[in-house]
Amino acid sequence: QVQLVESGGGLVQPGGSLRLSCAASGTFLSVNPMGWYRQAPGKQRELVADMSSEGSTNYADSVKGRFTVSRDNAKNTVSLQMNSLKPEDTAVYYCYARFYWFGRGSDYWGQGTQVTVSS
């Protein structure tokens, strides 16, 4: 069994910063990619950013230049540094990872952490 445990999140004023972290645990051969999705009320879950084990990244257009995803392959952790936060960034943020066991891959999600950007 594998697990993704998130930390961070909370309430921040517009223009502020937050950092989310996520740690993968359990037994697996590899994990790729790792990243973050978010879901705002009444909206579909969307990719925020992810990173492959080789270091390639994907970002949503809405967060480019403001958010930075990073991962530690040795520790199986992924982080999201969020700067210049806007009210429209308010959402539940979910850590995401695809785990592999002998060629079989499965997607896993963290429990979600609330990020609220408000004055």
Side-chain angles (χ1 to χ4, degrees), residues 15 70 74:
S70 59

Side-chain angles (χ1 to χ4, degrees), residues 29-86:
L29 288 180
S30 62
V31 53
N32 200 26
M34 296 186 75
W36 298 88
Y37 281 67
R38 68 185 180 187
Q39 188 166 20
K43 295 187 177 181
Q44 290 187 332
R45 190 173 296 189
E46 63 174 357
L47 173 69
V48 178
D50 66 14
M51 177 178 274
S52 72
S53 56
E54 296 80 17
S56 62
T57 58
N58 292 300
Y59 288 95
D61 288 343
S62 59
V63 307
K64 285 180 180 177
R66 299 187 298 123
F67 291 10
T68 302
V69 63
S70 59
R71 64 182 285 181
D72 184 326
N73 292 332
K75 297 181 179 179
N76 292 314
T77 60
V78 63
S79 297
L80 185 69
Q81 178 65 42
M82 304 183 292
N83 299 328
S84 302
L85 282 160
K86 304 176 181 180

Side-chain angles (χ1 to χ4, degrees), residues 94-118:
Y94 297 90
C95 179
Y96 158 80
R98 177 166 293 176
F99 294 93
Y100 288 90
W101 302 266
F102 299 104
R104 178 177 65 86
S106 292
D107 297 338
Y108 282 78
W109 302 86
Q111 77 279 8
T113 184
Q114 178 70 45
V115 171
T116 302
V117 184
S118 175

